[in-house]
Amino acid sequence: MKNNTWYAKPNLVVEPLFDRWYAWAHLISPATSAMNVVNRHLKILDSYIQNPQIHAAAAKNPKMRGGPFVDLDGGRVDEIRKLREETVEKKAHEIAFAQAVVELDKMLKTHAKGFAMDTLYSKVPEILKGHVELVYDLNNYPSFRFFERLLYNSPLYNEASQSIALWITNNDERPFVLSTPRMDEPNVIHVQVPFKHAGIDLISRMRRIPGDIEEVAAAFDIKEEDRELFNTFFTQEPPVEYTPYTGDKIRMRYFGHACILVETKDTSILVDPVISYHGYSTDVTRYSEAHLPDKIDYVIITHNHQDHILFETLLSLRHRIGNIVVPKGGNGSLQDPNLKMMFNMLGFNNVLEIGEFETVGSGHTRITGVPFIGEHSDLDIRSKLCHHVRIGKYTLLFAADSCNVEARLYEQVFKMIGTVDSLFLGMECDGAPLSWLYGPLLTEEMPRDMDGSRRLAGSNYERGKAMVDVFQPKELYVYAMGMEPWLEFISSIKYTDESNPIVQSNKLIKECRANNIISERLYGEKELFYEMGVLEEKEQPLEQY
């Protein structure tokens, strides 16, 4: 039997891990990683060791879903204790760094009173010296910024923390991953390789192109005792054959959450990739990896949240991506790591960084960055963009989770981009408090009422309607709601008909339909076709950007 006739099974999970925790963007960027190790991971581990049964009860309570609770049924305490000990030992540099950030912040508040900061550099904690610049804003409030590339070149960035877990899934059910470390399981093989490792591309290609199991086993240095399980991750049954789109229209396919594929016969654009596995029985129909083109010309990232940058999907698609388009930002502030730098470090060598009203594209396709406000708890975060996509004469605006807190902004945007044919808008309008995502980065505890007022929330009815009124779309699609069952492991969201985001989005959909605007809240899968049209040379408005 030939060795090069094997395919990776369509339900093979290649799960990226960071020190056995599910890997997301704030665990890759060095500064945010250190703060999360100290203020998220160690706190969760300490709490579980002290009260495992409280965690067990909370993890089973739907109202506590997504909270900092280890989902191990109150057991395996010795393993958790060992993980904590290993973390303290291996992460001594990160722990010292996180403590130094707190010290630096305290020092600036004490000594930086509006006068020159020259003498304060000597007071910077030793571990931070040479990695930070001390600054004032125009009101003399002190702060600092990191030279982020230098942090990647320091002990703070250690690829030995990165690994993957290989396993087969037969359903959509996965516990919430951000609060439970990945322990050893009999059906899982852990492979100690960095995310840029070529073996990840090798096994990902085998989802469509047959390859050699021995080559993959050698690339991952699979142990002899794991070979029997490893071999079960592959099959000689060919995958579902992908049929390229060859029509003359624009085809839009919704893959769940904020993931949209826009295709013509010449170009493909994939927004915020979060892709379901397939090959098992499901209650909700969906598109999967089998419905993606062999080459994706542009992957668009709207912002740096874990349900929009999902490495589990992105690493598996890396070998197919022509260009990955990320928001320009990352000026060295702790809360806003540079996305281009991060993707480059993970083996993505085709990253295009664009800012507001900057454009990429070719031929009849243009992708333009549009301001994105709200949903980031009023923190100064620049790495976020809505995207205006023009294909021929047809226009789409992917507004992601933009919370339209200042309607006058989009009135000004309208003057530059005009009406849009299809508007995609996130309306998860409750959102978690600031501390749920950004809490580990804070150097002082935030009052509960202040924390609760600053939400990771999208637009409600009034704010969504204001965007519709401005851009006058022919179609409105509410998306990015985290409703699909294959999203629960990362979003923790489960709605009822009475949930505020459902009520608010229903109200906007009803309003739009009453005004002859096609409107729908997307769920599962959706396919639409649009007439492209051809722009005359004199009609090329995007060139000004």
Side-chain angles (χ1 to χ4, degrees):
M1 184 179 295
K2 293 182 179 181
N3 288 332
N4 62 350
T5 60
W6 294 90
Y7 298 92
K9 288 183 176 178
N11 52 343
L12 171 64
V13 180
V14 182
E15 184 177 18
L17 301 177
F18 175 92
D19 289 333
R20 289 298 185 97
W21 295 82
Y22 193 80
W24 58 293
H26 280 200
L27 295 184
I28 304 302
S29 301
T32 56
S33 177
M35 301 300 283
N36 273 274
V37 166
V38 173
N39 297 322
R40 189 186 299 274
H41 294 172
L42 286 177
K43 284 185 176 181
I44 289 174
L45 294 177
D46 286 342
S47 175
Y48 187 76
I49 292 167
Q50 185 175 356
N51 290 298
Q53 294 307 319
I54 289 178
H55 282 250
K60 288 180 170 59
N61 184 346
K63 293 182 180 179
M64 308 293 281
R65 190 187 302 271
F69 305 109
V70 175
D71 191 1
L72 292 175
D73 290 327
R76 309 183 73 163
V77 177
D78 288 342
E79 294 174 64
I80 292 295
R81 187 177 287 110
K82 181 182 178 183
L83 178 61
R84 186 202 181 280
E85 292 170 356
E86 291 175 348
T87 301
V88 171
E89 179 183 352
K90 294 178 180 179
K91 295 294 179 181
H93 192 85
E94 288 86 342
I95 293 170
F97 179 93
Q99 292 169 343
V101 169
V102 176
E103 292 173 23
L104 174 61
D105 191 58
K106 183 177 179 180
M107 183 274 287
L108 290 175
K109 289 175 181 175
T110 302
H111 296 285
K113 301 298 184 181
F115 296 95
M117 288 191 177
D118 307 38
T119 60
L120 297 186
Y121 279 90
S122 63
K123 298 180 183 295
V124 172
E126 188 65 30
I127 198 172
L128 299 181
K129 285 183 176 177
H131 293 94
V132 295
E133 181 183 16
L134 309 182
V135 296
Y136 288 114
D137 69 12
L138 293 177
N139 292 307
N140 297 322
Y141 291 112
S143 187
F144 59 90
R145 73 178 190 93
F146 293 110
F147 298 105
E148 193 173 350
R149 187 60 184 82
L150 296 180
L151 296 182
Y152 276 106
N153 199 45
S154 76
L156 208 60
Y157 183 72
N158 185 0
E159 289 183 339
S161 293
Q162 300 172 14
S163 66
I164 59 172
L166 302 174
W167 52 285
I168 295 292
T169 182
N170 289 307
N171 53 57
D172 293 328
E173 296 177 9
R174 294 168 69 177
F176 181 68
V177 293
L178 297 189
S179 54
T180 302
R182 199 74 159 90
M183 312 308 290
D184 287 340
E185 301 290 348
N187 64 331
V188 178
I189 296 176
H190 289 272
V191 180
Q192 195 68 40
V193 294
F195 297 151
K196 68 182 183 184
H197 194 275
I200 295 175
D201 298 320
L202 181 63
I203 199 170
S204 298
R205 285 190 183 95
M206 288 175 66
R207 295 186 189 275
R208 291 205 180 171
I209 302 170
D212 185 349
I213 293 181
E214 296 300 327
E215 184 181 1
V216 185
F220 286 151
D221 195 20
I222 300 297
K223 299 174 183 176
E224 189 59 37
E225 59 264 31
D226 290 329
R227 278 306 304 267
E228 184 176 354
L229 175 59
F230 181 75
N231 291 346
T232 66
F233 298 158
F234 301 88
T235 178
Q236 290 189 302
E237 181 179 345
V240 176
E241 188 173 349
Y242 171 72
T243 304
Y245 178 65
T246 58
D248 293 326
K249 299 181 186 296
I250 302 166
R251 182 172 73 176
M252 186 284 288
R253 282 181 165 179
Y254 171 72
F255 279 69
H257 197 51
C259 184
I260 305 282
L261 176 66
V262 181
E263 290 179 285
T264 70
K265 62 184 177 183
D266 303 312
T267 305
S268 57
I269 301 169
L270 186 64
V271 183
D272 287 344
V274 177
I275 307 296
S276 169
Y277 296 98
H278 65 110
Y280 50 87
S281 178
T282 61
D283 294 328
V284 181
T285 58
R286 81 284 304 270
Y287 294 118
S288 67
E289 177 276 333
H291 300 93
L292 291 173
D294 293 329
K295 181 184 178 185
I296 303 165
D297 295 297
Y298 298 97
V299 162
I300 298 174
I301 300 297
T302 57
H303 61 296
N304 188 13
H305 288 167
Q306 68 273 14
D307 54 332
H308 297 261
I309 295 180
L310 190 70
F311 293 127
E312 187 173 323
T313 292
L314 285 163
L315 290 172
S316 71
L317 297 179
R318 181 171 54 195
H319 68 285
R320 294 198 216 177
I321 297 172
N323 298 283
I324 183 165
V325 182
V326 302
K328 185 183 295 182
N331 61 352
S333 63
L334 176 60
Q335 72 273 13
D336 192 16
N338 185 284
L339 296 183
K340 183 177 188 296
M341 199 179 297
M342 179 186 71
F343 276 109
N344 285 161
M345 296 300 292
L346 297 183
F348 293 83
N349 300 315
N350 46 358
V351 185
L352 304 177
E353 190 179 52
I354 64 171
E356 293 159 357
F357 301 109
E358 293 180 343
T359 297
V360 296
S362 61
H364 55 240
T365 301
R366 293 289 185 273
I367 301 165
T368 300
V370 170
F372 178 153
I373 58 174
E375 214 257 339
H376 287 71
S377 302
D378 301 315
L379 294 172
D380 182 13
I381 292 176
R382 314 293 176 86
S383 300
K384 58 185 189 212
L385 283 176
C386 304
H387 291 91
H388 179 273
V389 176
R390 180 183 293 276
I391 303 179
K393 287 189 173 183
Y394 202 87
T395 59
L396 308 96
L397 179 60
F398 298 101
D401 298 324
S402 186
C403 184
N404 188 17
V405 294
E406 172 50 278
R408 294 292 292 273
L409 167 66
Y410 288 115
E411 292 175 13
Q412 300 304 314
V413 171
F414 171 78
K415 295 176 182 178
M416 297 194 67
I417 68 173
T419 59
V420 299
D421 294 305
S422 293
L423 172 62
F424 294 80
L425 179 65
M427 293 188 68
E428 206 296 274
C429 54
D430 285 347
L434 177 151
S435 60
W436 186 79
L437 189 66
Y438 296 104
L441 308 184
L442 302 179
T443 58
E444 294 182 352
E445 189 144 351
M446 177 176 284
R448 185 181 292 264
D449 57 346
M450 188 182 296
D451 183 32
S453 75
R454 294 170 61 180
R455 314 294 293 190
L456 295 156
S459 290
N460 59 14
Y461 162 75
E462 288 82 7
R463 291 166 176 170
K465 183 177 182 299
M467 290 190 73
V468 171
D469 290 344
V470 167
F471 292 113
Q472 306 162 44
K474 299 170 185 172
E475 302 178 342
L476 166 77
Y477 294 104
V478 176
Y479 78 145
M481 301 288 277
M483 297 172 62
E484 287 82 12
W486 60 91
L487 262 298
E488 286 182 26
F489 83 104
I490 197 74
S491 73
S492 76
I493 291 173
K494 209 154 194 171
Y495 295 124
T496 68
D497 290 343
E498 289 74 39
S499 298
N500 190 43
I502 300 300
V503 172
Q504 295 286 318
S505 55
N506 282 346
K507 187 176 179 182
L508 182 59
I509 289 166
K510 183 178 179 181
E511 170 89 10
C512 287
R513 289 175 176 174
N515 288 287
N516 297 315
I517 299 171
I518 296 170
S519 188
E520 180 181 347
R521 187 173 54 245
L522 298 177
Y523 179 74
E525 68 177 31
K526 183 76 175 182
E527 182 178 70
L528 296 166
F529 292 89
Y530 306 118
E531 294 291 341
M532 182 163 45
V534 178
L535 283 178
E536 302 292 336
E537 281 298 318
K538 62 183 179 181
E539 294 182 283
Q540 297 285 341
L542 292 181
E543 295 300 327
Q544 66 182 297
Y545 303 159

